[in-house]
Amino acid sequence: MKVIIVGGVAGGASCAARLRRLDEKAEILMVERGPYVSYANCGLPYHVGGSIDNESSLLVATEQMFRSVFAIDCRTNCEVIGINSRLKTVDLKNHLTGEVTTEKYDKLLLSPGSAPIRPPLPGIDLPGIFSVRTVPDARNIRAWLDRSTDRSVGNSFTGCDTVSKPKHAVVVGGGFIGLEMVESFIERGLEVTLIEKLNQVMPPLDREMAILVERYLTKHGVKVELSDGVAGFRNTTNGSLEVLTESGKAHPADIVILAIGVRPETALAKMAGIELGQLGGMRVDEHMRTSDPDIFAVGDAVEVKNFVTGQWALIPLAGPANRQGRIAADVIAERDSRFRGTQGTSICKLFEAAISQTGISEKQLKEMGDTDYEKIYLYPNSHAGYYPGAKMLVIKLLFRKSNGLILGAQVLGEDGVPKRIDSFAMAIQMGCTIYDLEESELCYAPPFGSGKDPVNFAGMIAANILRGDMPVCHWEDTDKGFLLDVRNPQEIAVEAVPGATNIPLPQLRSRLGELPKDKEIMVFCRSAQRSYYATRILMQNGFNVRNISGSMLSRSHRAEG
Amino acid sequence: MKVIIVGGVAGGASCAARLRRLDEKAEILMVERGPYVSYANCGLPYHVGGSIDNESSLLVATEQMFRSVFAIDCRTNCEVIGINSRLKTVDLKNHLTGEVTTEKYDKLLLSPGSAPIRPPLPGIDLPGIFSVRTVPDARNIRAWLDRSTDRSVGNSFTGCDTVSKPKHAVVVGGGFIGLEMVESFIERGLEVTLIEKLNQVMPPLDREMAILVERYLTKHGVKVELSDGVAGFRNTTNGSLEVLTESGKAHPADIVILAIGVRPETALAKMAGIELGQLGGMRVDEHMRTSDPDIFAVGDAVEVKNFVTGQWALIPLAGPANRQGRIAADVIAERDSRFRGTQGTSICKLFEAAISQTGISEKQLKEMGDTDYEKIYLYPNSHAGYYPGAKMLVIKLLFRKSNGLILGAQVLGEDGVPKRIDSFAMAIQMGCTIYDLEESELCYAPPFGSGKDPVNFAGMIAANILRGDMPVCHWEDTDKGFLLDVRNPQEIAVEAVPGATNIPLPQLRSRLGELPKDKEIMVFCRSAQRSYYATRILMQNGFNVRNISGSMLSRSHRAEG
């Protein structure tokens, strides 16, 4: 059996190595268009920023290693320029020699990845505008920044050393790579403007959660420009760039990063005549097989099922790509492995914080017209508050109203985020309900958690709602209710809510007569804990009451409109 | 309905607050023998060490708060001195006034906690010997250390300022509290000796994992004395203490901490005439009800089912206590809540490291005579190796040989431990198999993980074994096999294994003729990854081969005998 693997990073490399382990006799040819196989493209933003200084540390495995350890014919700088799926051949061009050869295959695996989107805007090809996708991309960015620095001929006494030192960076696009590049540039001492066409950064998050990220960026000196698309680029008289936006602004830039997103590379799919999905990725079944039974595909270029939403998705992430490569190898070796689909777990470091999500967002639920869900916001400490270094976590949990199934979670914070998002991710994978979260036994010692972990708390709050113990509402529902604030006067002096009536919780039992029996009372405090106690008191005294989830804390980052 | 709750920390306080939320009308009396309710006893070692400087930050909720917010009659310094379960009364003694009163109950909840074990050894009552259980304990320890310091009258010029400054601490017992106290004393600049009667520290770990903890302690300057019990204590002529051991040693000590363990407080149970279990804790059903239908019990003083082992256990941990308190409140309020039992999840900070476990240990499996299990060791990076700060994790995973069910995990390391132990904990709770772990979608970005997370890796290795792709063995099985080392000569020059034959992996395919077909080949490398590749090559060439799990890395901490 001869297997040709096209693309030697993530999914392709995983498939090649796994296939060799399963089948010593298979003839395996792995070709990679670029100069490197199996490199760590997730590390590229950090290489640009300097926290990974050495380019070579990004090279996980070499061509030589694939040959010597895996007995795989591995060829870099080698591109597929034609596929004949009837004859089962591929035409390969060696970019170093120009030579073209034709190879036969029994099975073909396509792992071409994705390409950064470069819209055909005026000035898009000006020097100084970069994408971040490959090792050479990172090298070019570093060289651009260093070259500019080298041109600086002044010194600190004459004050003229700033003339051509790069000062301004513009990052276009506020997704994962955009945010990582923002951080990298800030760490290099640049002034950074982030331009995002949508009305929020980090699209997997719901907007009110993204607001916290935007504030965090601003706090770190980043100029955040939302709801404004890039219209073009031009050179200024002093030789630097300007980024022009649809709203008519011009942002100075010594370097521009395009991080608008990626699109699946489908040139190979077209050559092979295989089916594409509606999102433009290759269509595969759960065995990672394309519409051609002898052609498999994995990685950024395929559409996969999100098993939480049930919808097709493009998930350009390393984890799924690696797992898919492994599964394709299994199937090629005649095993019955299946890809379960993805649940959209992801995380992004941003300065001291981590931004993470798993499962489905409220935005997606709304797009799908799904109304069988409830949501909660909570703001627990990352670990016991009395132990130094505890930070507030912000958690949004989405779950089925009808049965408590966990649908999605979004977790932000400066400590303890991976611990929580992974617990939610495992819970979603295993079809847990919020009732399971109530009972989860997660690790606890004061430096790492609390006797009731934030994950337990999320489960308890959600279960209180579904058991009918705590009717809940949200700020967007508070137009016509009677607003009751159970905080102390000192807290209200700092920030009051217009129109709210104040009865501090300790006085509530003795002042019930002041509350209306004919209106829905919507109660809040700082974090929704005291207002939960108030909700219980009022319910048992015959009032119609709801607790405002997250209370003042969720109010502080609610999305308008 | 009148409910009396005995014990106002963790389980008792949780029960009281929850019960009020469920029932505004219930009359609730909560009594606490000590001066504080709802204090953070998990924080006491850190208060002694100084990382939590302020005693008041350990007081989570006050007597006053229970009264004002929860309308609970909360009495501190109030001890139960008699229970008449036929008449349903308790006799209460107010320690401040000496007054004794009798109160009637409809339901009684016992949450008396546990008491530090103080064996009746010679000298046990000498000044300077402390347990760490209550706020006054911590206060006394701090005062003892400070008083000794104050007595120091010299100065740094005369060199006589060390006379009475505490220099030596002896900690007896190497469990959670013992290790936390060791760290606290080291941080205060003391020389610390840790004496442990067992042949390992941290009893929930298997011994070969505990060896790593012992080395880590030694590396931090702690003198670790294993397999030696304390025989007694005596004063020396200069006024300090000496700890005498069964082996005849005498360890100097300016302060001694007894952290031998705790025993359930069962005086109340005896007064009430309720049933105790074989481990000495109160016997309760899944509703936290004792043998008396109107008496409930929670926390350290009850025996609970470990749902992984199926056995009764004493689990003196805050998390289960809080959950039990909540469940008891539900049941008292006539709800059908059930405690699922415990799975023994725990974690301990030790300097930069975390030591964690969940589920069952190999030791426990052996004690139970259970042989339907397999184990693996792995040593992955805590996050992408190319991103700064990655540390090696040490993971031991135990799973059912017959069906892949996850039985237990032990995780040690200086980064990323909580993320992994909680994933394993959720997996065990939900009855996951190792095949589920292969497919888990956990959060990944270079600062937090790897494309294949350590949890995925554990699943993949285990699945390779159970699918028959990688027969496994352990160092204890290698007596009669043919040992094959596939590392490079440079690695072997650093450390060789006596009797092993070396064929570097890249040469293996061309040197198969040098290997025996009639013997079992046991192959290893540094971490068992290359030896896995070698195993695949050899299996497919007709050899009888096993991969030594963890290879040189597991060999470095194997337990003898």
Side-chain angles (χ1 to χ4, degrees):
Chain A
M1 179 173 66
K2 178 161 177 180
V3 180
I4 298 181
I5 292 169
V6 183
V9 192
S14 287
C15 179
R18 171 82 175 166
L19 185 60
R20 171 56 73 226
R21 293 195 295 268
L22 296 179
D23 186 352
E24 268 294 289
K25 305 283 175 254
E27 192 181 338
I28 305 174
L29 167 60
M30 180 167 85
V31 300
E32 165 58 40
R33 184 168 59 172
Y36 304 108
V37 291
S38 208
Y39 66 89
N41 44 13
C42 307
L44 295 173
Y46 302 103
H47 181 44
V48 172
S51 53
I52 301 170
D53 204 47
N54 219 324
E55 182 181 290
S56 64
S57 50
L58 296 174
L59 307 176
V60 177
T62 60
E63 189 175 342
Q64 174 51 28
M65 187 190 147
F66 275 95
R67 292 178 182 277
S68 71
V69 171
F70 295 111
I72 286 170
D73 182 0
C74 175
R75 305 180 198 170
T76 53
N77 297 299
C78 179
E79 186 166 5
V80 173
I81 55 168
I83 298 176
N84 186 324
S85 57
R86 201 174 42 78
L87 296 177
K88 298 172 74 170
T89 60
V90 297
D91 302 321
L92 300 173
K93 180 167 182 180
N94 179 326
H95 282 299
L96 301 181
T97 63
E99 193 189 0
V100 175
T101 53
T102 298
E103 298 268 356
K104 244 189 112 29
Y105 66 80
D106 295 301
K107 304 287 175 195
L108 179 64
L109 179 100
L110 304 178
S111 177
S114 52
I117 295 172
R118 282 181 81 88
L121 296 169
I124 186 92
D125 293 322
L126 286 172
I129 303 176
F130 299 93
S131 302
V132 190
R133 188 70 192 166
T134 63
V135 173
D137 286 342
R139 196 183 296 153
N140 292 338
I141 295 168
R142 283 171 66 106
W144 180 266
L145 294 170
D146 294 343
R147 194 198 55 173
S148 307
T149 309
D150 291 347
R151 276 189 305 179
S152 147
V153 291
N155 64 53
S156 54
F157 296 101
T158 62
C160 57
D161 63 342
T162 56
V163 177
S164 57
K165 211 171 188 171
K167 268 177 67 180
H168 295 100
V170 171
V171 174
V172 185
F176 294 93
I177 294 171
L179 294 188
E180 287 169 354
M181 289 306 301
V182 164
E183 178 179 343
S184 287
F185 284 139
I186 291 280
E187 290 193 347
R188 285 185 78 122
L190 294 168
E191 287 174 21
V192 183
T193 302
L194 173 64
I195 301 176
E196 169 59 58
K197 194 179 175 116
L198 299 176
N199 63 355
Q200 66 166 86
V201 299
M202 196 47 94
L205 292 179
D206 284 318
R207 197 171 145 221
E208 76 280 14
M209 299 296 279
I211 285 173
L212 293 168
V213 180
E214 290 147 16
R215 283 189 199 152
Y216 193 73
L217 286 164
T218 305
K219 193 182 130 196
H220 281 81
V222 180
K223 199 171 152 203
V224 180
E225 298 277 327
L226 298 178
S227 305
D228 200 5
V230 170
F233 309 88
R234 70 175 173 216
N235 269 127
T236 61
T237 46
N238 73 1
S240 71
L241 288 159
E242 259 180 357
V243 181
L244 310 171
T245 68
E246 289 167 356
S247 74
K249 290 185 188 165
H251 298 282
D254 299 304
I255 185 166
V256 176
I257 299 294
L258 292 178
I260 305 174
V262 293
R263 110 179 93 219
E265 286 269 21
T266 50
L268 294 170
K270 283 166 194 156
M271 288 180 203
I274 58 179
E275 189 188 336
L276 297 183
Q278 285 172 342
L279 304 172
M282 290 185 261
R283 179 69 86 215
V284 290
D285 65 15
E286 59 187 349
H287 300 297
M288 307 313 297
R289 198 186 297 263
T290 68
S291 56
D292 181 320
D294 293 317
I295 304 180
F296 295 77
V298 299
D300 292 6
V302 305
E303 292 184 13
V304 293
K305 269 272 168 70
N306 180 314
F307 65 75
V308 187
T309 63
Q311 295 185 324
W312 291 105
L314 289 166
I315 305 276
L317 294 175
N322 283 326
R323 293 201 303 281
Q324 291 162 10
R326 205 163 177 266
I327 285 163
D330 281 4
V331 176
I332 292 170
E334 301 188 338
R335 295 184 173 208
D336 183 32
S337 290
R338 289 154 200 262
F339 185 62
R340 297 188 186 190
T342 176
Q343 62 187 78
T345 309
S346 59
I347 192 166
C348 181
K349 175 181 177 295
L350 186 62
F351 305 110
E352 297 304 306
I355 303 158
S356 68
Q357 53 265 314
T358 186
I360 193 166
S361 65
E362 186 175 9
K363 212 161 46 177
Q364 285 175 298
L365 285 161
K366 285 185 172 165
E367 276 164 22
M368 293 164 66
D370 189 331
T371 57
D372 178 19
Y373 74 90
E374 188 49 271
K375 62 177 172 180
I376 54 171
Y377 301 90
L378 62 158
Y379 303 83
N381 277 324
S382 59
H383 59 246
Y386 55 79
Y387 187 87
K391 304 276 183 171
M392 183 196 281
L393 289 166
V394 182
I395 300 179
K396 178 177 185 178
L397 182 72
L398 292 147
F399 50 96
R400 279 256 169 267
K401 221 188 259 185
S402 54
N403 62 13
L405 195 74
I406 302 161
L407 296 172
Q410 299 168 40
V411 183
L412 317 181
E414 292 189 323
D415 180 54
V417 171
K419 169 172 155 75
R420 277 53 185 233
I421 202 70
D422 277 359
S423 296
F424 289 123
M426 285 297 295
I428 290 176
Q429 181 191 349
M430 298 309 291
C432 279
T433 66
I434 52 152
Y435 306 109
D436 296 312
L437 296 188
E438 278 189 292
E439 301 298 323
S440 292
E441 194 173 296
L442 302 169
C443 69
Y444 163 56
F448 304 112
S450 297
K452 289 174 191 156
D453 193 86
V455 170
N456 298 130
F457 257 119
M460 289 173 184
I461 295 169
N464 282 338
I465 295 170
L466 293 194
R467 290 199 186 101
D469 291 333
M470 187 187 81
V472 74
C473 67
H474 304 285
W475 286 104
E476 59 261 34
D477 311 323
T478 53
D479 308 350
K480 3 176 225 315
F482 179 94
L483 275 179
L484 174 64
D485 185 343
V486 295
R487 293 178 299 156
N488 298 325
Q490 309 90 289
E491 297 174 87
I492 294 173
V494 177
E495 189 185 2
V497 173
T501 299
N502 176 230
I503 301 179
L505 177 62
Q507 301 171 17
L508 186 61
R509 287 186 182 87
S510 59
R511 292 176 60 185
L512 293 176
E514 300 172 33
L515 293 171
K517 284 254 174 181
D518 57 343
K519 275 192 190 157
E520 187 161 64
I521 298 171
M522 292 171 169
V523 59
F524 64 94
C525 60
R526 176 177 169 271
S527 71
Q529 184 160 22
R530 282 171 292 169
S531 53
Y532 163 48
Y533 302 157
T535 302
R536 293 301 306 157
I537 294 171
L538 293 175
M539 280 181 77
Q540 293 180 68
N541 281 284
F543 291 90
N544 181 6
V545 58
R546 289 180 183 276
N547 188 12
I548 303 178
S549 183
S551 284
M552 290 305 286
L553 290 172
S554 65
R555 186 170 186 271
S556 73
H557 64 104
R558 69 197 192 282
E560 309 287 342
Chain B
M1 179 172 66
K2 176 157 177 184
V3 180
I4 298 180
I5 292 169
V6 184
V9 191
S14 289
C15 180
R18 171 83 175 165
L19 185 60
R20 171 55 72 226
R21 292 195 297 268
L22 295 180
D23 187 351
E24 268 295 288
K25 306 283 174 250
E27 191 181 341
I28 305 174
L29 167 61
M30 181 167 85
V31 300
E32 165 59 39
R33 183 169 57 172
Y36 303 109
V37 291
S38 208
Y39 66 88
N41 47 10
C42 307
L44 295 173
Y46 302 103
H47 180 46
V48 171
S51 53
I52 301 171
D53 204 44
N54 219 325
E55 183 182 288
S56 65
S57 50
L58 296 174
L59 306 176
V60 177
T62 61
E63 191 175 342
Q64 174 52 27
M65 185 188 149
F66 274 95
R67 292 179 181 276
S68 70
V69 172
F70 295 110
I72 287 170
D73 181 1
C74 176
R75 306 182 197 168
T76 54
N77 297 299
C78 178
E79 186 165 5
V80 173
I81 56 167
I83 298 175
N84 186 325
S85 55
R86 200 174 44 78
L87 296 177
K88 296 171 77 170
T89 59
V90 296
D91 302 320
L92 299 173
K93 179 168 185 180
N94 180 327
H95 281 300
L96 301 181
T97 64
E99 192 190 0
V100 175
T101 53
T102 297
E103 300 266 357
K104 246 194 106 36
Y105 66 80
D106 295 302
K107 303 287 174 194
L108 179 65
L109 180 98
L110 304 178
S111 178
S114 53
I117 295 172
R118 282 181 81 89
L121 296 169
I124 187 90
D125 293 320
L126 285 173
I129 303 177
F130 299 93
S131 301
V132 190
R133 187 71 191 163
T134 63
V135 173
D137 286 342
R139 196 183 296 155
N140 292 338
I141 295 168
R142 282 170 66 107
W144 180 265
L145 294 171
D146 294 343
R147 192 196 57 169
S148 306
T149 308
D150 291 345
R151 276 190 305 180
S152 151
V153 291
N155 65 51
S156 54
F157 295 101
T158 62
C160 56
D161 62 343
T162 55
V163 178
S164 57
K165 210 170 190 172
K167 267 177 69 176
H168 295 100
V170 170
V171 174
V172 185
F176 295 93
I177 293 170
L179 294 188
E180 288 169 354
M181 289 307 301
V182 164
E183 179 180 342
S184 287
F185 285 138
I186 291 280
E187 289 191 347
R188 285 186 79 122
L190 294 168
E191 287 175 21
V192 183
T193 301
L194 173 65
I195 300 176
E196 168 59 57
K197 193 178 176 118
L198 300 176
N199 63 356
Q200 67 167 81
V201 299
M202 196 46 93
L205 292 179
D206 284 317
R207 196 172 147 220
E208 76 280 16
M209 299 297 278
I211 285 173
L212 292 168
V213 180
E214 291 147 15
R215 282 188 200 152
Y216 193 73
L217 287 164
T218 306
K219 193 181 130 198
H220 282 81
V222 180
K223 198 171 154 202
V224 181
E225 298 277 326
L226 298 178
S227 307
D228 199 4
V230 170
F233 308 89
R234 69 175 174 216
N235 270 127
T236 61
T237 47
N238 71 2
S240 70
L241 289 159
E242 258 180 356
V243 181
L244 309 171
T245 68
E246 289 167 356
S247 73
K249 290 185 187 165
H251 299 282
D254 298 302
I255 186 166
V256 175
I257 299 294
L258 291 180
I260 304 172
V262 293
R263 106 179 98 220
E265 287 269 22
T266 50
L268 294 171
K270 281 166 197 156
M271 291 181 204
I274 58 181
E275 189 188 337
L276 298 182
Q278 285 172 345
L279 305 171
M282 291 184 259
R283 179 70 86 216
V284 290
D285 65 14
E286 58 188 350
H287 301 296
M288 309 312 298
R289 197 187 297 265
T290 68
S291 57
D292 181 320
D294 294 316
I295 303 180
F296 294 78
V298 300
D300 293 8
V302 304
E303 293 186 11
V304 294
K305 269 273 167 70
N306 180 315
F307 65 78
V308 187
T309 64
Q311 295 184 326
W312 290 105
L314 289 166
I315 305 276
L317 294 175
N322 283 325
R323 292 201 303 282
Q324 291 162 11
R326 207 164 175 265
I327 286 164
D330 281 3
V331 175
I332 292 170
E334 300 189 338
R335 296 184 171 211
D336 183 32
S337 290
R338 288 154 199 262
F339 186 63
R340 296 189 187 189
T342 176
Q343 62 187 77
T345 308
S346 60
I347 192 166
C348 181
K349 175 180 177 296
L350 186 61
F351 305 109
E352 296 305 305
I355 302 158
S356 69
Q357 53 267 314
T358 186
I360 193 167
S361 65
E362 186 174 9
K363 213 160 44 177
Q364 285 175 297
L365 284 161
K366 283 184 174 165
E367 276 164 21
M368 293 164 66
D370 188 332
T371 58
D372 179 18
Y373 74 91
E374 187 50 272
K375 64 177 171 179
I376 54 171
Y377 300 91
L378 62 159
Y379 304 84
N381 278 323
S382 58
H383 59 245
Y386 55 79
Y387 187 86
K391 304 276 183 170
M392 184 196 279
L393 290 166
V394 181
I395 301 178
K396 178 177 185 177
L397 182 72
L398 292 147
F399 51 95
R400 280 258 168 265
K401 220 189 259 185
S402 53
N403 62 11
L405 196 74
I406 302 161
L407 296 171
Q410 298 168 40
V411 182
L412 317 181
E414 292 188 322
D415 180 55
V417 171
K419 170 171 153 74
R420 277 55 186 231
I421 203 68
D422 277 359
S423 296
F424 288 124
M426 284 296 296
I428 289 175
Q429 182 190 349
M430 298 308 293
C432 279
T433 66
I434 51 154
Y435 307 111
D436 296 311
L437 296 187
E438 278 188 292
E439 301 297 324
S440 294
E441 194 172 294
L442 303 169
C443 70
Y444 163 56
F448 304 111
S450 298
K452 288 174 192 155
D453 193 86
V455 171
N456 298 131
F457 257 119
M460 289 173 184
I461 294 169
N464 282 336
I465 294 169
L466 293 195
R467 291 201 185 100
D469 290 334
M470 187 186 81
V472 73
C473 66
H474 304 284
W475 286 105
E476 59 260 35
D477 311 321
T478 54
D479 308 350
K480 6 178 223 311
F482 179 93
L483 275 178
L484 174 63
D485 185 343
V486 295
R487 293 178 299 156
N488 298 325
Q490 308 92 284
E491 296 174 86
I492 295 173
V494 176
E495 190 185 1
V497 173
T501 299
N502 175 231
I503 302 181
L505 177 61
Q507 301 171 17
L508 185 61
R509 288 185 181 87
S510 58
R511 292 175 60 184
L512 294 175
E514 299 173 33
L515 294 171
K517 286 255 174 180
D518 57 343
K519 275 194 192 153
E520 188 161 62
I521 299 171
M522 292 170 169
V523 59
F524 64 96
C525 59
R526 176 177 167 274
S527 70
Q529 183 159 26
R530 282 170 292 169
S531 54
Y532 163 47
Y533 303 157
T535 302
R536 292 302 305 159
I537 294 169
L538 294 174
M539 279 180 79
Q540 293 181 68
N541 281 283
F543 291 91
N544 181 6
V545 59
R546 287 180 184 275
N547 188 13
I548 303 178
S549 183
S551 284
M552 290 305 284
L553 289 171
S554 64
R555 188 171 185 271
S556 73
H557 63 104
R558 69 196 193 283
E560 310 285 346

